[in-house]
Amino acid sequence: MKGPDASVSADGDWSPGLQKARVYEQLLLDIILGELRPLGVLDERALAAKYVAGVSGVRDALGRLALEGLVLRRPRVGTVVAPLDIREIENAFQVRHMLEARTAALAAQNATASDLLAIESAFVGAEAAVEAGDFRALLEMDRRFHKAVAAATHNPMLARFVVSLQNIATRFWIYAMEKQSPAEQLADIELHRTLAAAIGARDARTAEMCGEKLVGDAPSAYPR
């Protein structure tokens, strides 16, 4: 099947099976993890070879990342990874504190059986990832979880906004994770699971409290 129904998921996101969706996720993870360095030039053909994709899929993914402020288009230079802007990250944390608790509460009210399955399965294998120090796997789990919670609100506009804010704030994620001990990482995973249980129990109040706590601390809370 072709057309909008085949290319856009129910929450307004690209369908996961699309090449551009896969490339977008890989690019996003590499930017967050610092494998694509701030202000590094992004060559479309080199990225297509790296991600085993077509240039058009890479171009679409970069276009979406540009709209989200994670890459920049510069005349005579091309596309570069956006610099780490601590003020922007601080602002993203501030807005997330306003929205994510209510997002969790709304998910508790509106989640379907398939939503609950996506939320509850997001952190399967997390203990092994912590033991291995596999930050990429943990980041993928964290993204799956928060995207599933946002989608469970069944408010596509809110879901897109929350996920976009999280993408900005998560550029600080790798720094925070490296500061945590394995025990602290496991405690954070357990808090995610507590939120999943609250959503499954339709406990909006507990979900709201967990959602607020999961936002975590902005960069200004860490010693320099």
Side-chain angles (χ1 to χ4, degrees):
M1 181 174 60
K2 297 182 179 180
D5 290 340
S7 61
V8 180
S9 63
D11 63 355
D13 199 0
W14 286 338
S15 295
L18 293 174
Q19 182 186 92
K20 62 184 179 181
R22 175 179 62 81
V23 174
Y24 167 82
E25 289 291 335
Q26 291 175 310
L27 278 165
L28 179 61
L29 293 180
D30 284 346
I31 290 171
I32 291 170
L33 292 168
E35 294 180 15
L36 294 173
R37 307 292 295 176
L39 296 178
V41 178
L42 301 172
D43 179 83
E44 292 178 356
R45 293 191 179 278
L47 292 173
K50 177 180 179 179
Y51 299 128
V52 192
V55 172
S56 61
V58 171
R59 188 172 296 132
D60 286 344
L62 290 174
R64 178 173 169 185
L65 289 165
L67 289 173
E68 295 177 353
L70 293 167
V71 304
L72 305 174
R73 306 293 180 105
R74 293 193 163 175
R76 298 184 296 279
V77 175
T79 304
V80 300
V81 177
L84 275 170
D85 187 333
I86 296 301
R87 289 173 300 179
E88 182 180 38
I89 293 173
E90 288 278 345
N91 290 338
F93 269 92
Q94 186 177 47
V95 179
R96 286 184 70 206
H97 275 292
M98 297 175 187
L99 288 183
E100 295 238 5
R102 290 302 306 150
T103 298
L106 195 58
Q109 296 168 5
N110 295 341
T112 64
S114 60
D115 292 328
L116 293 176
L117 179 61
I119 293 168
E120 292 165 358
S121 65
F123 277 96
V124 170
E127 286 79 5
V130 169
E131 184 176 356
D134 190 343
F135 289 137
R136 177 174 287 270
L138 290 169
L139 176 56
E140 289 175 339
M141 292 175 189
D142 187 72
R143 278 187 49 72
R144 281 199 300 271
F145 180 88
H146 288 284
K147 286 181 70 176
V149 171
T153 65
H154 291 271
N155 183 323
M157 183 177 294
L158 175 62
R160 288 195 298 272
F161 194 48
V162 167
V163 171
S164 180
L165 280 169
Q166 189 190 24
N167 290 346
I168 295 169
T170 306
R171 294 192 73 185
F172 184 68
W173 178 92
I174 187 64
Y175 174 86
M177 286 292 288
E178 288 175 342
K179 298 292 183 183
Q180 289 184 330
S181 68
E184 289 170 327
Q185 292 169 9
L186 289 170
D188 184 68
I189 290 164
E190 189 56 36
L191 181 58
H192 284 78
R193 289 173 174 160
T194 300
L195 172 55
I199 293 172
R202 308 295 180 186
D203 184 347
R205 183 174 181 181
T206 299
E208 189 165 3
M209 291 171 59
C210 291
E212 166 66 21
K213 193 171 182 180
L214 274 178
V215 174
D217 294 323
S220 58
Y222 289 77
R224 297 184 181 182

